[in-house]
């Protein structure tokens, strides 16, 4: 995920990116990774980004999670849906977008990106990011299942190696 944040940020010239993972038990999004472009220096924004969480429909991450579709905010200062206006103003952030990381119809998390320049809505870019969000969700699920399988294999191996008695397999033939 950190490398993906960096690739999108650098490749599309955004100043800041975050991945917000869904904490299903608490019903909130919490930041798991942040990325800042070289030269982006806003200690307050960076510190605030570490401690923030969003409920459904709250802020850009919460709105994206609730609606399950990419969102674009051309002017953070004038967008009533954006809740961190003062921190963004101090950091010089002007526009932002977000897309859900999805596994079928379930949102696993949200990626947000912010720009130091005003950016008009780019619908084709949002469609591409929405598709990427689905691919990321599939990758994350596959990675989770593979890790679970490895743990299961280790547990089985330990059980077999520590068995005090022999294990016999009998075949009908």
């Amino acid at each position: 995920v950190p490398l993906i944040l960096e690739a999108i940020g650098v490749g599309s010239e955004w100043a800041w990116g975050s991945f917000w993972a869904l904490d299903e038990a608490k019903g909130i999004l919490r930041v798991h990774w942040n990325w800042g472009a070289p030269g982006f220096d806003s200690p307050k924004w960076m510190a605030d980004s570490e401690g923030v969480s969003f409920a459904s429909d709250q802020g850009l991450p919460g709105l994206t999670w609730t609606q399950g579709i990419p969102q674009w905010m051309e002017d953070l200062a004038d967008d009533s849906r954006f809740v961190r206006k003062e921190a963004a103003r101090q950091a010089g952030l002007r526009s932002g977008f977000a897309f859900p990381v999805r596994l079928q119809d379930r949102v696993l998390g949200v990626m947000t990106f912010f720009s130091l320049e005003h950016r008009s809505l780019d619908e084709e870019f949002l469609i591409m990011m929405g598709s990427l969000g689905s691919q990321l969700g599939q990758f994350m699920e596959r990675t989770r299942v593979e890790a679970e399988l490895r743990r299961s294999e280790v547990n089985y191996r330990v059980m077999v190696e520590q068995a005090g008695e022999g294990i016999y397999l009998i075949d009908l033939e």
Side-chain angles (χ1 to χ4, degrees), residues 2 5-6 9-10 14-18 33-42 45-46 113-114:
L5 286 170
E6 181 180 8
V10 169
W14 295 89
W16 184 262
S18 299
W33 287 284
N34 286 314
W35 167 83
F40 178 74
D41 185 28
S42 177
W45 177 265
M46 293 176 191
F113 291 87
F114 297 98

Side-chain angles (χ1 to χ4, degrees), residues 1 5 16-24 28-35 45-55 58-65 82-84 97-102 107-114 136 140:
V1 172
L5 286 170
W16 184 262
S18 299
F19 174 69
W20 304 82
L22 179 59
D23 181 338
E24 292 185 72
I28 59 172
L29 290 168
R30 290 186 189 276
V31 71
H32 274 238
W33 287 284
N34 286 314
W35 167 83
W45 177 265
M46 293 176 191
D48 286 353
S49 295
E50 291 294 327
V52 176
S53 62
F54 289 97
Q58 182 186 29
L60 182 56
L63 181 67
T64 305
W65 165 31
F82 190 69
V83 296
R84 298 174 62 199
F97 83 94
F99 64 92
V101 175
R102 307 176 58 87
V107 174
L108 304 175
V110 172
M111 286 199 172
T112 58
F113 291 87
F114 297 98
L136 286 172
M140 290 170 71

Side-chain angles (χ1 to χ4, degrees), residues 13-16 39-41 88 91-95 114-119:
E13 298 179 350
W14 295 89
W16 184 262
F40 178 74
D41 185 28
L93 300 173
R94 310 247 339 259
S95 295
F114 297 98
S115 173
L116 295 169
E117 298 86 34
H118 178 269
R119 292 197 178 186

Side-chain angles (χ1 to χ4, degrees), residues 57-77:
D57 232 9
Q58 182 186 29
L60 182 56
L63 181 67
T64 305
W65 165 31
T66 303
Q67 294 190 3
I69 57 173
Q71 304 290 322
W72 192 281
M73 293 184 175
E74 288 186 24
D75 189 344
L76 300 176

